[in-house]
């Protein structure tokens, strides 16, 4: 039994890594956008290091199967709002990430953290899980070439292509083996689609697979003092709140959809998980990258059966070789991981039946969360609108006394975030 569980944890850890490995290339591409002054190779090294360190810490300290890496959305905020938008030097922006991480650590260690979890009603938590599931599926549909962007209708169905065919093939492979209760269904799909694409020539094996880590350009280049300006306080708070909301919504949503809850129905080891995320954000700045957050792709490995910290340890170890073989990061195409994201979305969506839609004050906020997370392409945006509308609806319906005081405070903060 022990041997079987270890095999499942290894499989789950590898699967989680494969579904989120895109960040190894995507994050440095965003942060090294022309005008920022940041080095692609330096940020890539920082991305791999922080993903390894944070995910390993999650497995060893929190003993949870969640993987962490620089967050999508947070990296865009860092690049386009702080560095390019406000013309803040990237060293100073890294300092802002550092101090936001310190604030996050303080918050995670206080009773306020538990109060935050209890303040969020069950139907909103379920809506988070469902919304994240739809978001994952939408990412998969887009990455798999099934839906594409359109200037008039925003998105539309794509024409038949190799990418689309491979995505559908991978999805049917997963569905077949999942129905057979085979724990290798996700991995069979990812490896199979990738190998077919290599054989057909759609995916090329890089000629030079080795590269040296870059510890010179952005590593330990933080401006601690310059980032303490009063003018930067609002941006630091935005970083912290966004990171907190992303992490909380992911932990709550994935935990509830996969059964990783305690006897009270709360996510297991939430305090330790938040501390890990906060520490990871602090170290992100030292390694030369934007804030780190817990990844919803962790649900891939969890659904596969990896529900212990060993899965995270395996995922962390998968990152480490890419310090030296970074060119291999691009071998697994997006349409090889897209079927996994789509199918995990299906699994997370099933809890929608637990939401009580009989009263409008519960239905409207839950519905907004489910819709806005994928449609705004932001977990934070969906959660903010959901929590704010929940408070407003309960006020309108004369049930404001039933709303936790902390949730009212959060709603007020949400109003400032939307400004």
């Amino acid at each position: 039994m022990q041997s079987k569980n270890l095999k499942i944890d290894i499989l789950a850890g590898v699967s989680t890594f494969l579904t989120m490995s895109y960040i190894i290339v995507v994050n440095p591409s965003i942060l090294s956008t022309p005008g920022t002054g940041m080095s692609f190779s330096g940020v890539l090294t920082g991305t791999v290091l922080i993903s390894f360190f944070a995910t390993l810490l999650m497995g060893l300290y929190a003993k949870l199967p969640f993987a962490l890496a620089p967050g999508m959305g947070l990296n865009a905020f860092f690049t386009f709002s702080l560095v390019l938008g406000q013309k803040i030097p990237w060293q100073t922006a890294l300092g802002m990430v550092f101090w936001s991480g310190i604030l996050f650590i303080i918050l995670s260690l206080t009773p306020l953290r538990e109060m935050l979890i209890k303040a969020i009603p069950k139907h909103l938590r379920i809506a988070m899980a469902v919304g994240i599931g739809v978001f994952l599926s939408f990412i998969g549909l887009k990455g798999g070439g099934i839906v594409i962007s359109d200037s008039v209708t925003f998105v539309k169905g794509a024409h038949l292509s190799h990418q689309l065919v491979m995505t559908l093939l991978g999805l049917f492979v997963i569905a077949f083996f999942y129905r057979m209760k085979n724990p290798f269904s996700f991995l069979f799909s990812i490896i199979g689609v990738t190998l077919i694409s290599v054989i057909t020539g759609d995916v090329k094996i890089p000629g030079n697979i080795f590269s040296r880590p870059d510890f010179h350009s952005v590593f330990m280049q933080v401006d601690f003092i310059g980032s303490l300006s009063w003018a930067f306080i609002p941006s630091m708070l935005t970083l912290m709140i966004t990171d907190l909301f992303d992490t909380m919504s992911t932990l709550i949503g994935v935990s509830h959809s996969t059964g990783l809850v305690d006897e009270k129905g709360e996510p297991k080891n939430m305090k330790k998980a938040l501390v890990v995320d906060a520490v990871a954000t602090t170290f992100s700045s030292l390694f030369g990258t934007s804030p780190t957050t817990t990844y919803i792709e962790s649900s891939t490995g969890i659904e596969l059966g990896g529900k212990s910290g060993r899965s995270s340890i395996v995922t962390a170890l998968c990152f480490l070789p890419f310090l030296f073989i970074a060119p291999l990061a691009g071998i697994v195409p997006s349409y090889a991981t897209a079927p996994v994201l789509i199918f995990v979305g299906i699994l997370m969506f099933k809890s929608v039946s637990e939401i009580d839609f009989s009263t409008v004050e519960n239905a409207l906020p839950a519905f907004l969360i489910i819709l806005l997370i994928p449609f705004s392409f932001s977990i934070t945006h969906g959660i903010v609108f959901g929590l704010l509308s929940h408070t407003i609806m309960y006020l309108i319906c004369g049930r404001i006394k039933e709303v936790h005081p902390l949730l009212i405070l959060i709603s007020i903060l949400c109003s400032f975030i939307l400004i």
Side-chain angles (χ1 to χ4, degrees):
M1 177 63 71
Q2 187 70 19
S3 176
K4 181 180 179 181
N5 291 338
L6 179 59
K7 290 180 180 178
I8 291 176
D9 285 334
I10 292 174
L11 175 65
V14 172
S15 296
T16 294
F17 169 76
L18 289 175
T19 59
M20 63 182 294
S21 59
Y22 64 86
I23 197 65
I24 295 174
V25 174
V26 173
N27 192 58
S29 296
I30 293 176
L31 266 64
S32 64
T33 298
T36 64
M38 301 189 77
S39 161
F40 178 91
S41 61
V43 177
L44 188 146
T45 296
T47 300
V48 172
L49 276 179
I50 194 59
S51 301
F52 164 74
F53 167 75
T55 305
L56 183 66
L57 189 61
M58 181 68 80
L60 294 176
Y61 175 67
K63 302 187 187 306
L64 290 172
F66 291 98
L68 296 90
M72 295 296 292
L74 286 166
N75 51 14
F77 179 76
F78 179 95
T79 301
F80 299 104
S81 295
L82 300 183
V83 180
L84 296 180
Q86 300 182 39
K87 306 300 181 184
I88 299 172
W90 61 265
Q91 297 92 335
T92 305
L94 288 177
M96 296 167 65
V97 172
F98 175 84
W99 293 116
S100 71
I102 296 297
L103 291 174
F104 195 175
I105 291 174
I106 295 172
L107 179 65
S108 300
L109 293 173
T110 62
L112 185 60
R113 184 266 318 170
E114 292 183 5
M115 294 172 62
L116 278 172
I117 303 302
K118 294 178 180 179
I120 302 175
K122 182 179 178 181
H123 68 280
L124 295 186
R125 297 187 192 184
I126 296 173
M128 292 176 192
V130 175
I132 291 171
V134 177
F135 185 42
L136 273 174
S137 293
F138 183 63
I139 293 173
L141 291 170
K142 189 173 184 295
I146 296 178
V147 297
I148 58 177
S149 59
D150 184 87
S151 59
V152 178
T153 60
F154 301 112
V155 293
K156 66 178 181 180
H159 296 295
L160 191 66
S161 64
H162 171 81
Q163 183 180 12
L164 188 151
V165 171
M166 288 294 98
T167 299
L168 292 178
L169 174 63
L171 186 59
F172 291 134
V173 167
I174 291 176
F176 174 78
F177 284 106
Y178 188 85
R179 190 178 188 279
M180 301 296 290
K181 300 186 183 302
N182 190 313
F184 294 92
S185 55
F186 292 154
L187 203 56
F188 282 164
S189 173
I190 294 171
I191 294 176
V193 170
T194 300
L195 288 178
I196 292 174
S197 297
V198 170
I199 293 173
T200 59
D202 193 63
V203 170
K204 303 293 183 181
I205 302 294
N208 182 18
I209 65 174
F210 297 102
S211 61
R212 293 181 178 180
D214 180 357
F215 292 111
H216 304 289
S217 55
V218 298
F219 190 77
M220 294 298 293
Q221 300 293 319
V222 185
D223 182 2
F224 296 103
I225 305 302
S227 58
L228 286 175
S229 169
W230 283 106
F232 298 150
I233 295 298
S235 294
M236 278 192 277
L237 291 176
T238 300
L239 279 171
M240 185 200 70
I241 293 173
T242 302
D243 194 1
L244 174 64
F245 270 59
D246 275 352
T247 301
M248 283 184 57
S249 56
T250 298
L251 290 172
I252 292 173
V254 175
S255 293
H256 275 272
S257 66
T258 57
L260 282 174
V261 294
D262 58 24
E263 61 279 0
K264 297 180 180 179
E266 306 292 343
K268 291 183 178 179
N269 295 341
M270 173 66 83
K271 180 177 181 179
K272 290 185 176 181
L274 287 175
V275 169
V276 169
D277 199 291
V279 170
T281 290
T282 305
F283 275 83
S284 293
S285 63
L286 304 180
F287 292 167
T289 184
S290 51
T292 297
T293 191
T294 305
Y295 263 59
I296 55 177
E297 284 86 348
S298 304
S299 56
T300 302
I302 297 173
E303 289 289 356
L304 198 58
K307 297 189 177 183
S308 73
R310 290 187 303 189
S311 295
S312 292
I313 294 172
V314 172
T315 303
L317 293 174
C318 288
F319 276 103
L320 202 54
F322 286 87
L323 283 174
F324 310 97
I325 53 173
L328 283 179
I331 286 185
V332 178
S334 62
Y335 54 79
T337 57
V340 177
L341 299 179
I342 296 171
F343 202 82
V344 169
I346 295 173
L347 299 176
M348 297 182 71
F349 188 82
K350 63 186 180 183
S351 60
V352 70
S353 60
E354 299 178 36
I355 300 176
D356 179 16
F357 285 103
S358 61
T359 57
V360 67
E361 60 266 35
N362 287 336
L364 177 62
F367 190 67
L368 285 177
I369 289 175
I370 294 171
L371 286 187
L372 287 177
I373 287 178
F375 289 171
S376 66
F377 219 73
S378 168
I379 295 174
T380 299
H381 209 67
I383 302 304
V384 163
F385 268 96
L387 297 182
L388 182 58
S389 62
H390 173 80
T391 301
I392 293 175
M393 286 303 301
Y394 267 62
L395 176 63
I396 294 174
C397 297
R399 299 178 61 184
I400 191 63
K401 291 183 179 180
E402 299 178 37
V403 180
H404 196 289
L406 186 57
L407 187 55
I408 296 176
L409 176 61
I410 293 174
S411 299
I412 295 174
L413 293 175
C414 289
S415 302
F416 288 106
I417 292 175
L418 295 176
I419 295 175

